[in-house]
Each structure stands twice: as C-alpha cells, then as structure tokens.
Amino acid sequence: MAERFVRTPYTALWLVPLLFALALIAGFSTLAYHDRTTLRATVAERNASVSYFVAEDVRSAFWQYDRTLRSIVEMIETQGVAAALESGAMVRQLAVSRAIGTAITFAAVTDHEGAVLARDTGRPPPGQKPHAHTRDFFIALKADPDRGLVIGAPFTASNSNSSVIGVARAFRTPERRFGGVVVLMVEPGRFDILKSLPTLQEGGAISILRRDGVPLFTTPGRNSDNLSLAGLPALRELVARDAMGSFVATPPDVPDERAVHVRRVEDHPLVVAYAQPLAPLSVAWRETWIRNGILLLVALLGLTTLGVILHRRAARAEAHIEIERRKALGALLESRDMAERASRAKSDFLAMMSHELRTPLNAILGFARLVRDGAKDRPATETASFAAEINNAGEHLLSLINDLLDLHKIEAGRMEIRPEPVLIDRLLRSAAAQITGLAAERGLVLRTEVGDDLPLLWADARAVRQMLFNLLGNACKFTPEGGSVTISAEALDTGSIVLRVADTGIGMSDAGKRLALEPFGQVDNPANRAERGTGLGLPLVRGLMALHGGQMLIRTAPGQGTTISLVFPPYLHAPRNMQSLADMAKPPPMVRPPALKP
C-alpha cells in the first residue's frame, strides 16, 4: 500500500504530459482539417472567378456574332438574295463579319437547299458550290426559321483541319418562306480569353458546352491531355437543371481529382466549366502537415521521455548532435558539389569534342563515299580532287584536335588568333566543297554565290573555315529534304566584308535564338528533336567573330529559314590587286567598326 502511495505522484507526472499530448494532437487534427477545407474553398472561389470571366468573354463574343448575323439577314431580306449577290453587298458584309473576332475562320450564306451562295472571300466558282445541308444548324433552322440564333455541334473543318462550330441565323424570302442561312464558322480555341489565362498553364482546363450537354470545346492545361469534362455525371446534372455550382470529381482517363465550377453563359444556350487539379495543392498540404506532425510528435516524445531532470543534459546533447550534423551535412554538400562540377566539366568537354570533330569527319566520309561509289567511272583528276578534299578535311581535323584547349581560352579571354591574308572566294568554295557530301546525303541543294573581285581578308584562316563549317553543318542539319543552303560573300559600301550562310530550314523563334547563343543551349522544337547538336556551334562562331572585332548577325523566324551573317570590320580587308601579299604583312590600324543591325 505504501509502495502504491509512493508511485502515485510519478503516475500523475506521466499522465499530465500524456493528456497534454492528446489535446495537442486533437487540436492539430482540427487545424489540419480546417486548413484543407479553407484550401478547397479558396480553389472553388478562384475557379468561380475564372469561369465568370470566361463566361462573360464567351457571352460578349456570341453577342457580337448574333448582332452581325442579324445585320446580314436584314440586308438580305431587304435587298433580296439575287440583288445582294450581284451588287457584291453580301460578300462585303461577310468579309466585314469575319473581321469582328479572331475566332471566326470564315463566313458564308447558303440557299434553302444548303448550297453555299457566297463566302467572305467571294462567290464559289460555278459548279463547285459546297453544301451545308447535313449540318445540324442548317437542319434546325430549316425546320424552324424563327428559332433565332443556333449554335451547332463541333466538326472538323476541311480547310483548316481544326474543330469549328457553326453559329447561324435563318433568313426568309419575300414570300416569307425559308430562304437559307447565314453562318459564321467559329474556332472556340482561338478565343482571346483562353490565351491569357495563367491558370491553364497550371493544369487547369476549360470546357464550353451547349445546355443540351453537347461539348463544343475543351482546352486542356499542361498536365491535362485528353481531359474530358463532358462525361462527368455531376456536370451533366447541373447542365440539365440549368444551374451553376461547384463540385469535386475525377474525369475519365485522369488519375487525380479536379475541382470543377460550372457557370451559365447569359443570353445564350451555353455553359462554361472550369476544372483545376487538386493533386498539387493536396500534395503540398499533405507534406506541410506531415512535416508539422512529425515535429510535434518529436517534441512531445522529447517532453515525455527526457523529463525535467534530464532537460539540461538533453539540451547539451542535442546541441552537440546538431553541430555534428551540420558538419557532416556541410562535408556531404561539398563532396556533392565537387562531384557535380567534375561531371559537368567532363560532359562539357565530351560535348565540345563531339561537336567539333563531327563536321570534318562528315566531310571525310562524304568524299570517301563519292570516291568509293564512282571509282570506276570517275576521271582520275576528279578522284584526285576528292582525295585532296579528304586530305584537307583530315588536316583540319588534326588541327582541331591539337587546338581543342583553345576553345576554353575564348571564354577565358586567352584565345589568340593568327591573322593572314585570305582569298575569300577560294575559302568559301573549299568550305562548300567539303560539305557537299552531307548536303547530297540529305537531299539538299548547295549553292555558292561569290564573285572573283572580292578584296583580301586579313583574318585567321582556320578560324574562318571553322566558323563556316559550323554554320554550314547546322544549316544542313536543320533543313528538311528538298531545301537549299546558300553560302555567299560581299563587300559593303562601308568597307565591311560579309560572309553569309542562308538556309530554308525550320528557323528559330526569338526565345530559341537567345537559347542557341548560350553555350550548350538546345532549342526544343518538335521538328529538330531528331537532330540534337551540342549547342556549341553558334557560341563558338560568335566568340571567334568577337576576336576579329566583327559581329555575327542572325535573321530567322519559325518555318522561314535562317540567315547568319559574319560581318568583318573595314580595317580587315585590302584590295585584291595588291602588288604582293607581303603588303599585308602588318595588319591595318585598328578602327572600331560601326554598329550594324540585322
């Protein structure tokens, strides 16, 4: 009994922190639940705001379409179909109607049988009138011409291969019979609001549906490919009841939940649904509260196990452990950084080696194939010429291997060039000849446009040759079969000498051009993923041009090819008819060239 009496205070001592721990856990769980509820409410509020703006934009667009259709119908019913066609008023009105919005792909007027009488581009040729009699909007208006504005189901347009919907109104003949329809073909994906919503880049998706449940358009976000909202039961129920609201559901073929908000488009039989993925928010919420829970349990465990008597000793031990942990972590991070730097250095070196060796090797292999495939029928002089080109490429390859370390000196500012008098026409023809094999293999037309009266160029011949190889190799690599690559040179009135390499390839955007000028930069383009270089070509050319005091200018656009100009300053040339190349033994005085714009 005395033993039990003695142990009672210790039991109470452990019971107090236990009850305190249970109270903290309960409060923690309540806060976590409240935080999750608040998070979902915030998402629902944002979804409602996004769907409101989209619905208002769609309402405004269809109001414009309806007003335009009304004016065209009024013009036709006032003037008559024949008079409107003959005077050209119908075509002009259709052309004006197409200009009211970027989403309109074309506008047309049909007769009572569905044959197209006129489009915004003019009247169809005789005997080639397309028909719209099978389209649902035509069928609906023919059955009920007084129905007003009709929005058809989506279909794939034959001229643009994109999904469009028909927005139409019927017009009547002077006898008040059905005369035909005026229709605007609208591509919903081109609505301005759909291009400006940042939430679509976070995995969100917007669907536009008719109130009878027919889906008109869905624009998926980055992580929402093939997302279909129209099949959600909750969405169909809200559309059927002509109601607005929010719900959480998992769309078909999508592994995670979406918060969906549905809103009516006022004045039109349309509904806008916006879906936002909850997975990223749920993961962040879960990680935060798990981390907080672990910290709470550790703190409670320390409180109940260490006790008041061992508090100071535990604090000292914990401080010592923290110090050791930070030391170990610092050593680990330092080791990791050293390993990453070594790996990057090795990768950079291998990438540089691969890029620089590929061009002369391609030249050697190309001329070797020409010699091999036509050895019997080819004249000895031509075979000897090919052998000479192979020898030149081999010597250039050996020179590249010996000077690989000079590539690093460009960025370090220790690269030195060896200027000498260079015959431009001879240099360009040699560079074009060494790339002939690669161009022929890819089915490209290689052109050389250079005159015989160009001045001499005071430059490092090996550096100029290497710049031309890089540019020609890139041009051949990113030009599809049947294209052309042109290398040319000219002397400007300012005294500058310009070497150009132009192709009809895939081109680059402004962002892609900036990326390509960065060392090891790779332009991500579906058309060139099969032809990945090292990303050293353009940075090397720009560095070598800077050493010559010149500029590299790039003119390019997606799908319009690329033209790269190497502009050497006026002080690096001399007349071609000089008495001797010895007159160029000393370079001309250094004069800063005028700034040129591409």
Side-chain angles (χ1 to χ4, degrees):
M1 191 70 178
E3 182 180 359
R4 183 177 181 181
F5 177 80
V6 171
R7 291 184 179 180
T8 299
Y10 295 97
T11 303
L13 183 64
W14 287 103
L15 184 59
V16 171
L18 179 61
L19 294 176
F20 181 71
L22 292 175
L24 285 179
I25 293 174
F28 175 84
S29 301
T30 302
L31 288 176
Y33 177 79
H34 179 267
D35 186 58
R36 182 175 183 179
T37 304
T38 303
L39 179 65
R40 292 205 171 191
T42 302
V43 172
E45 183 178 353
R46 185 174 68 170
N47 288 358
S49 177
V50 171
S51 60
Y52 169 78
F53 284 114
V54 174
E56 284 299 304
D57 188 80
V58 172
R59 184 194 65 80
S60 176
F62 278 88
W63 179 82
Q64 289 275 9
Y65 303 156
D66 191 25
R67 186 179 67 171
T68 301
L69 291 173
R70 287 174 182 271
S71 66
I72 297 176
V73 168
E74 182 179 357
M75 180 270 297
I76 294 175
E77 292 180 347
T78 302
Q79 298 183 13
V81 174
L85 280 173
E86 292 300 326
S87 66
M90 183 181 298
V91 174
R92 288 194 298 271
Q93 282 279 62
L94 293 175
V96 171
S97 68
R98 184 176 179 180
I100 66 173
T102 58
I104 298 178
T105 59
F106 69 88
V109 175
T110 75
D111 61 12
H112 66 284
E113 294 180 349
V116 175
L117 300 176
R119 291 183 50 170
D120 56 283
T121 55
R123 299 174 63 177
Q128 299 183 11
K129 291 185 178 181
H131 279 70
H133 64 282
T134 59
R135 300 300 177 193
D136 58 343
F137 60 83
F138 181 85
I139 296 172
L141 288 173
K142 186 173 183 179
D144 183 8
D146 296 325
R147 186 170 178 175
L149 184 71
V150 172
I151 301 173
F155 63 93
T156 301
S158 58
N159 59 341
S160 63
N161 200 28
S162 59
S163 179
V164 298
I165 60 175
V167 182
R169 269 188 172 275
F171 63 88
R172 291 182 177 273
T173 64
E175 295 79 14
R176 304 307 297 167
R177 291 196 299 267
F178 173 70
V181 300
V182 182
V183 60
L184 302 179
M185 291 302 177
V186 178
E187 185 178 345
R190 295 167 62 179
F191 283 149
D192 294 336
I193 188 69
L194 301 181
K195 303 175 184 177
S196 59
L197 285 176
T199 53
L200 294 182
Q201 303 301 322
E202 302 171 1
I206 290 177
S207 287
I208 302 175
L209 306 90
R210 291 195 322 208
R211 292 190 185 177
D212 58 1
V214 175
L216 300 182
F217 178 74
T218 295
T219 172
R222 181 180 54 194
N223 301 319
S224 303
D225 294 337
N226 301 320
L227 177 61
S228 176
L229 300 179
L232 296 176
L235 178 59
R236 291 200 303 267
E237 180 183 351
L238 285 174
V239 172
R241 292 191 290 109
D242 194 21
M244 297 187 298
S246 299
F247 60 91
V248 176
T250 302
D253 302 327
V254 176
D256 51 3
E257 288 185 328
R258 304 295 165 117
V260 184
H261 184 83
V262 181
R263 179 175 290 274
R264 297 188 305 271
V265 177
E266 299 296 336
D267 303 327
H268 298 290
L270 298 174
V271 173
V272 170
Y274 175 69
Q276 178 72 20
L278 291 175
L281 302 175
S282 299
V283 169
W285 172 85
R286 191 179 301 112
E287 290 178 352
T288 300
W289 284 100
I290 288 177
R291 182 169 60 251
N292 293 340
I294 291 174
L295 293 176
L296 177 62
L297 291 177
V298 170
L300 292 175
L301 182 62
L303 177 65
T304 57
T305 56
L306 294 180
V308 177
I309 298 176
L310 300 177
H311 175 69
R312 291 184 180 180
R313 184 180 299 178
R316 289 194 298 267
E318 186 178 355
H320 178 72
I321 292 173
E322 181 65 18
I323 292 173
E324 294 299 325
R325 187 188 69 82
R326 291 188 178 183
K327 289 181 179 179
L329 181 60
L332 180 62
L333 292 176
E334 184 177 358
S335 300
R336 186 191 66 180
D337 291 341
M338 291 177 61
E340 289 179 350
R341 286 195 296 269
S343 176
R344 282 197 300 269
K346 181 180 73 172
S347 299
D348 294 349
F349 176 78
L350 292 177
M352 188 184 307
M353 189 90 127
S354 170
H355 188 278
E356 298 302 325
L357 298 183
R358 188 181 297 117
T359 300
L361 283 174
N362 283 335
I364 293 173
L365 292 174
F367 281 106
R369 290 193 192 98
L370 293 175
V371 173
R372 179 196 65 192
D373 297 339
K376 295 181 180 180
D377 302 330
R378 198 181 303 280
T381 56
E382 189 173 0
T383 303
S385 174
F386 290 162
E389 296 296 343
I390 293 175
N391 180 70
N392 291 339
E395 290 179 353
H396 177 62
L397 179 60
L398 179 61
S399 175
L400 286 177
I401 295 175
N402 292 334
D403 294 339
L404 268 176
L405 292 178
D406 290 345
L407 299 175
H408 175 68
K409 292 181 181 179
I410 292 179
E411 294 185 353
R414 299 195 300 271
M415 179 69 177
E416 296 181 359
I417 60 174
R418 301 177 178 87
E420 58 179 303
V422 177
L423 293 172
I424 300 174
D425 52 347
R426 184 178 302 173
L427 181 64
L428 263 64
R429 291 190 176 97
S430 174
Q434 294 191 24
I435 209 70
T436 300
L438 178 60
E441 181 180 348
R442 293 178 174 272
L444 305 176
V445 177
L446 182 61
R447 299 188 180 93
T448 304
E449 299 176 357
V450 55
D452 296 329
D453 57 347
L454 290 172
L456 297 172
L457 176 65
W458 181 267
D460 189 321
R462 186 195 66 81
V464 176
R465 187 180 297 110
Q466 180 61 25
M467 288 189 286
L468 293 176
F469 282 167
N470 285 343
L471 298 181
L472 287 170
N474 285 343
C476 291
K477 184 187 306 179
F478 299 116
T479 300
E481 183 178 359
S484 64
V485 176
T486 303
I487 180 172
S488 61
E490 67 170 323
L492 303 180
D493 295 339
T494 59
S496 299
I497 296 178
V498 182
L499 309 183
R500 290 192 180 90
V501 174
D503 62 65
T504 59
I506 61 177
M508 296 180 290
S509 63
D510 291 340
K513 183 170 66 174
R514 289 193 295 270
L515 181 61
L517 289 174
E518 294 294 329
F520 307 102
Q522 299 286 345
V523 179
D524 187 11
N525 189 307
N528 66 351
R529 286 174 184 162
E531 296 288 352
R532 302 288 285 184
T534 62
L536 290 177
L538 293 182
L540 286 175
V541 174
R542 183 172 63 174
L544 290 173
M545 283 303 298
L547 292 175
H548 285 84
Q551 294 178 306
M552 180 182 73
L553 307 179
I554 302 176
R555 186 175 72 250
T556 182
Q560 300 181 15
T562 301
T563 299
I564 299 182
S565 302
L566 305 181
V567 184
F568 292 87
Y571 57 78
L572 293 185
H573 88 276
R576 188 182 182 92
N577 58 356
M578 296 180 66
Q579 296 295 326
S580 169
L581 293 180
D583 295 338
M584 296 183 66
K586 295 182 180 180
M590 299 295 286
V591 180
R592 183 172 297 277
L596 297 178
K597 296 182 179 179

